[in-house]
Amino acid sequence: MSRPPFKKVLIANRGEIALRVIRACRELGIATVAVHSEADARALHVRLADEAVCIGQSPAPRSYLHVPAIISAAEITGADAIHPGYGFLSENAEFARVCGKCGVTFIGPTPEAMQAWGDKVTARANAKRFGLPLLPGSDVLVDAEHAALEAKRIGFPVIMKASGGGGGRGMRIVRAEDEVASNFAQATREAEVGFKNPDVYMEKFIERPKHIEFQVLADKHGGVWTLGERECSLQRRHQKVMEESPSPAMTPELRLELTDVIRRAVKETGYTSLGTLEFIMDEDRRLYFLEMNTRVQVEHPVTEMVTGLDLVALQIRVAAGDKLDLPDARPWIPRGHAIECRINAEDPRTFAPWPGLITEYFPPGGTGIRVDSGVYGGWTVPQHYDSLIAKVIAHASTRQEAIVRMQRALGEFIVGGIRTNIPLHKILLDDDEVRKGAMSTRTIERILAK
């Protein structure tokens, strides 16, 4: 590559993902700008970026979600692109549109593509058009009466979901007709608060599904790649806890079948950048499309480990208009196995957030271990943001070797002064269901009920 894709990139995020983008930019020869709230003035991403700008008070709406402050920071520092990371403004089509109007490149899909795939109801329509398998479901629910009629048509149990978001907010499982009205009211209220959009829809609820997602990458020259799948079934309250690639439930035949359909859907909708298509798998190993995330995922490192690709660097190059020269593998064959554990600052029994001063910090290392983190000893974890403080990724030639390697790494990880969920990860990796690859989204619930 003869020239850097951009001169200067502003990272509109914090924590480990901000550091991840800084590292990719540095290898591409791009200068970086960190933005931060008052609470993050001493954060690691602030210390490692080439420049830093304080954009407001600690609550996210007054800083990391404050679009005028972020655009102003880009203008005063001369940044010609903005990387949104994940969360915050990463799937906000209006923010992407504002960036374009201000002459700053948004590192992600176009606002139109983001809206086409980001809205869950529209995404279902796209999936149906291109032949992706779908659960029985509804369009946007008009009111509680409409919800009751749709629930009867689909068949109980059903799950209500926010049309404009994810992460578990606005989700309600309904098992009987007399539960519809109250759950509809709660789901719409949560959707309005969480996403400024009260629309909800409904799908058939699978009791013990596996959660499997496919990583895609597309450039602006017609190139589309599917980079394998990730198993994300280990969740608590719809929040992922541990991920791996490849999925132990995937067969070569099913991987190839999904690869061809996904590539066609991505290409014909004009989507470019990184994206992730999420599916659930029922007890009979049938896959059903759920949604598409139009951003880099928290769990992208496991895909990087089994493909050997720097997904963030490729995402930046796509935004700059570069034509990617990647193998046209259909499907992409994984190199070994990778597992990621999300380390959160929280009580391992109650899961209550545990902000505070980190008195000691010693991350694991050694062969096949990667740690993506935004904290250090002496740093105070703020109370205002997500509790994720680190991601530990283990890579080995087989799944069993990766599990053993991760167990070793977790045993080395020292975090003093606060509580973390490391004990939960140790329990999960020692569970028979997990070790056999037979886990579902209900596995953690079963373990915690013991």
Side-chain angles (χ1 to χ4, degrees):
M1 189 169 53
S2 59
R3 59 172 179 79
F6 298 103
K7 293 181 179 179
K8 188 180 292 186
V9 169
L10 181 144
I11 301 106
N13 217 299
R14 63 179 302 278
E16 64 86 16
I17 188 59
L19 261 72
R20 176 69 188 85
V21 178
I22 289 171
R23 288 168 175 148
C25 287
R26 189 153 291 161
E27 293 187 10
L28 290 169
I30 303 171
T32 56
V33 179
V35 294
H36 65 90
S37 67
E38 292 174 350
D40 278 338
R42 295 179 60 246
L44 203 52
H45 75 284
V46 175
R47 298 172 67 174
L48 295 186
D50 296 299
E51 299 176 65
V53 179
C54 181
I55 54 171
Q57 297 176 359
S58 300
R62 299 183 181 182
S63 49
Y64 296 107
L65 292 172
H66 191 207
V67 173
I70 292 171
I71 295 297
S72 295
E75 290 177 344
I76 64 174
T77 58
D80 51 347
I82 292 178
H83 195 299
Y86 54 70
F88 291 139
L89 297 167
S90 62
E91 294 183 282
N92 187 312
E94 184 55 33
F95 176 59
R97 196 169 284 114
V98 169
C99 289
K101 290 179 179 178
C102 295
V104 180
T105 300
F106 177 83
I107 299 176
T110 65
E112 295 74 23
M114 199 182 300
Q115 287 178 316
W117 282 106
D119 180 87
K120 306 303 184 285
V121 174
T122 306
R124 277 181 58 88
N126 276 332
K128 183 176 181 180
R129 180 157 60 102
F130 293 108
L132 288 167
L134 284 171
L135 284 168
S138 72
D139 292 329
V140 172
L141 301 172
V142 177
D143 51 29
E145 183 178 354
H146 181 213
L149 290 172
E150 289 294 273
K152 287 181 185 178
R153 178 183 64 81
I154 295 168
F156 293 100
V158 296
I159 183 168
M160 294 180 185
K161 294 183 176 182
S163 178
R169 288 178 292 180
M171 284 189 181
R172 291 283 162 176
I173 299 168
V174 185
R175 299 185 181 280
E177 187 175 355
D178 60 1
E179 299 175 3
V180 172
S182 61
N183 279 285
F184 175 79
Q186 289 176 314
T188 53
R189 186 162 55 247
E190 289 176 8
E192 173 63 34
V193 171
F195 311 109
K196 307 301 181 187
N197 178 358
D199 289 348
V200 297
Y201 67 103
M202 188 181 292
E203 285 179 338
K204 180 69 178 174
F205 179 67
I206 306 297
E207 290 287 355
R208 286 178 174 78
K210 295 178 78 65
H211 185 126
I212 297 173
E213 60 188 30
F214 282 77
Q215 177 71 64
V216 298
L217 173 68
D219 66 18
K220 298 178 181 179
H221 302 272
V224 179
W225 297 266
T226 55
L227 303 175
E229 80 285 344
R230 297 184 286 256
E231 169 88 40
C232 305
S233 298
L234 291 171
Q235 303 177 9
R236 180 180 175 274
R237 295 181 180 175
H238 306 291
Q239 297 291 328
K240 299 168 187 173
V241 173
M242 188 184 297
E243 305 96 348
E244 58 184 292
S245 183
S247 166
M250 189 60 58
T251 64
E253 295 78 17
L254 188 55
R255 183 181 291 125
L256 177 60
E257 178 185 341
L258 265 294
T259 291
D260 289 340
V261 179
I262 288 170
R263 283 168 63 118
R264 176 171 170 254
V266 170
K267 188 167 187 174
E268 294 195 20
T269 55
Y271 186 90
T272 58
S273 191
L274 289 177
T276 300
L277 282 80
E278 303 202 357
F279 296 79
I280 61 170
M281 177 181 279
D282 66 15
E283 292 87 345
D284 297 319
R285 298 205 169 199
R286 291 180 298 226
L287 280 171
Y288 301 97
F289 174 77
L290 281 180
E291 63 185 28
M292 181 175 183
N293 290 304
T294 58
R295 54 172 168 78
V296 64
Q297 294 277 89
V298 177
E299 59 272 22
H300 75 274
V302 292
T303 298
E304 292 187 325
M305 299 300 276
V306 298
T307 61
L309 300 174
D310 184 331
L311 295 184
V312 176
L314 291 171
Q315 182 189 29
I316 292 169
R317 290 181 55 198
V318 166
D322 288 358
K323 184 176 182 179
L324 302 183
D325 183 22
L326 299 178
D328 189 27
R330 302 174 62 177
W332 197 287
I333 305 301
R335 306 184 312 175
H337 201 95
I339 300 173
E340 174 181 288
C341 291
R342 299 190 188 192
I343 309 304
N344 296 330
E346 62 187 20
D347 187 284
R349 292 169 295 180
T350 66
F351 302 99
W354 204 272
L357 176 66
I358 298 176
T359 58
E360 188 178 17
Y361 184 77
F362 181 82
T367 302
I369 296 298
R370 165 179 168 179
V371 179
D372 284 16
S373 178
V375 306
Y376 55 91
W379 162 247
T380 298
V381 179
Q383 63 180 332
H384 310 282
Y385 313 114
D386 185 271
S387 61
L388 179 69
I389 59 169
K391 301 183 307 197
V392 181
I393 303 97
H395 180 242
S397 58
T398 68
R399 184 173 187 268
Q400 290 308 311
E401 290 173 355
I403 288 174
V404 171
R405 188 162 282 171
M406 179 63 82
Q407 289 175 314
R408 186 264 297 171
L410 294 176
E412 295 178 7
F413 207 160
I414 298 172
V415 184
I418 62 171
R419 296 182 183 178
T420 74
N421 64 342
I422 291 175
L424 172 63
H425 287 290
K426 292 179 178 179
I427 292 171
L428 291 175
L429 290 170
D430 202 39
D431 182 78
D432 285 343
E433 194 173 79
V434 175
R435 295 183 73 87
K436 293 175 182 176
M439 59 280 193
S440 74
T441 58
R442 303 290 294 276
T443 295
I444 291 181
E445 180 183 324
R446 171 185 58 78
I447 291 173
L448 295 177
K450 290 181 179 179

